[in-house]
Amino acid sequence: MQFLLQEKPEIFIVMNELILRSLRDADTQRLIQRLYEGWHTYLEQVIRNGKEQGMFQTAIDPDKAATQLIIVVKGTTLHYMTDPETVDFEYIRINVEHWLTG
C-alpha cells in the first residue's frame, strides 16, 4: 500500500472517484461491489490460512478481520491523499501485525 500510494497515487484517486460515482450509478456500484467482494474473499482466506498455520490469533474472525483490514486501507489511502505527512506506515503495519498475531 505504501509503495503504491507514494509511486502511483493515481490508482487510489481513480478508485475513490469510482466509489463516489457508484453512489449515483448502479452499474458502477455493481463493479465496485464485485471488486470489494473479491478483495474481501482473498483477505479472508489469507487470514484463515494464517490461523491454520498458527501465524495469527485463533480468536480472530477471518470475515470480520478482512473487513477491518479493508477499512484500515481505505481510510489510510484517503487520508494520505489529503495529508501524506501524517501517515506513519510503519506504525500502522506494527499495529495491524500486533492485532493479527497478538
Side-chain angles (χ1 to χ4, degrees), residues 31-68:
L31 172 67
I32 294 296
Q33 188 61 34
R34 280 198 312 260
L35 287 171
Y36 168 77
E37 288 169 0
W39 188 16
H40 186 277
T41 299
Y42 171 76
L43 287 174
E44 185 177 3
Q45 190 58 52
V46 167
I47 295 163
R48 193 174 312 285
N49 292 344
K51 280 180 63 171
E52 291 169 3
Q53 296 171 12
M55 296 171 59
F56 298 146
Q57 295 185 56
T58 57
I60 291 211
D61 177 318
D63 175 54
K64 289 180 180 179
T67 298
Q68 293 304 306

Side-chain angles (χ1 to χ4, degrees), residues 68-83:
Q68 293 304 306
L69 283 173
I70 290 170
I71 290 168
V72 168
V73 170
K74 284 180 174 180
T76 301
T77 59
L78 189 58
H79 190 82
Y80 183 85
M81 285 187 267
T82 59
D83 195 5

